[in-house]
Amino acid sequence: MKIVLASSNPHKVKEINAIVESENIEFILPPEGFDPEENGTTFEENSLIKAQAAWEVSKTWVLADDSGLCIEALNGAPGIHSARYADSPQERINRVLSEMEGKTNRKAEFKCCMTLLNPAGEVALSYTGICKGSIINSQKGTNGFGYDPIFLLENSSKTMAELSEEEKNKVSHRSVALQRVLAFLRTVTIS
Ligand code: IMP
């Protein structure tokens, strides 16, 4: 079964296909013309906007995701602005660390909303995976990407950037959401 992944990032398609390797599912890039305007105000809205844009150009099963880091003491920031919170990955980390200076409540969570549309363009599933943790005072670890080096996992002494790819794939917000999507897809018979 082929599913269009509402992303123009071939790396994301590769990563997600590695996670679903044992399933009879292959994610593929959307056909030409996929150019969503991500102007929603929540992960759910942006995920739906991307899913609908990919469905418009493919009219088949589509999966979209939208994710980011939400910090309690910053009223949920950077949230849907995670990818653009500053100009480079390091500057984004620096901005969060400076905004968190002196804050005692360090609670944070990564969220990933996945939206699955069926070939009729209807929402078959919308689910938000969450990975809980906290923001440490200075970055640690070199694996992963984005805010991983400042995100300390709940009940762990490691940051997300200190996990191997395999370890991260067991606990991440993305994999939690993806497991739910896969459980749903196993109940659907499609060619
Ligand atoms: P996207 O929706 O997957 O493109 O993610 C949006 C932004 O959220 C990324 O550019 C990162 O800044 C942040 N983000 C999402 N997932 C992760 C993660 O697993 N680790 C670190 N940062 C993440």
Side-chain angles (χ1 to χ4, degrees), residues 48 51-52 55 60-62 115-125:
L48 182 61
Q52 286 173 333
W55 182 82
T60 184
W61 285 90
V62 161
T115 305
L116 181 72
L117 299 188
N118 65 21
E122 299 154 344
V123 176
L125 182 77

Side-chain angles (χ1 to χ4, degrees), residues 87-157:
D87 289 341
S88 68
Q90 187 58 54
E91 285 168 291
R92 289 191 271 280
I93 285 178
N94 295 347
R95 177 169 175 190
V96 167
L97 288 180
S98 78
E99 288 177 347
M100 287 301 286
E101 250 172 59
K103 304 257 193 252
T104 44
N105 176 5
R106 315 287 303 184
K107 278 190 201 160
E109 51 192 27
F110 276 120
K111 284 187 179 178
C112 173
C113 178
M114 288 196 172
T115 305
L116 181 72
L117 299 188
N118 65 21
E122 299 154 344
V123 176
L125 182 77
S126 172
Y127 185 80
T128 301
I130 291 176
C131 179
K132 287 179 182 287
S134 60
I135 302 300
I136 54 167
N137 291 317
S138 58
Q139 64 194 84
K140 223 160 52 122
T142 53
N143 299 335
F145 70 99
Y147 301 95
D148 283 347
I150 54 169
F151 187 85
L152 192 66
L153 285 152
E154 192 175 65
N155 301 322
S156 167
S157 56

Side-chain angles (χ1 to χ4, degrees), residues 1-5 13 17 20 23-28:
M1 168 191 184
K2 287 193 191 237
I3 301 178
V4 168
L5 190 67
V13 176
N17 274 326
V20 302
E23 314 273 338
N24 189 22
I25 295 170
E26 187 194 350
F27 287 96
I28 54 172

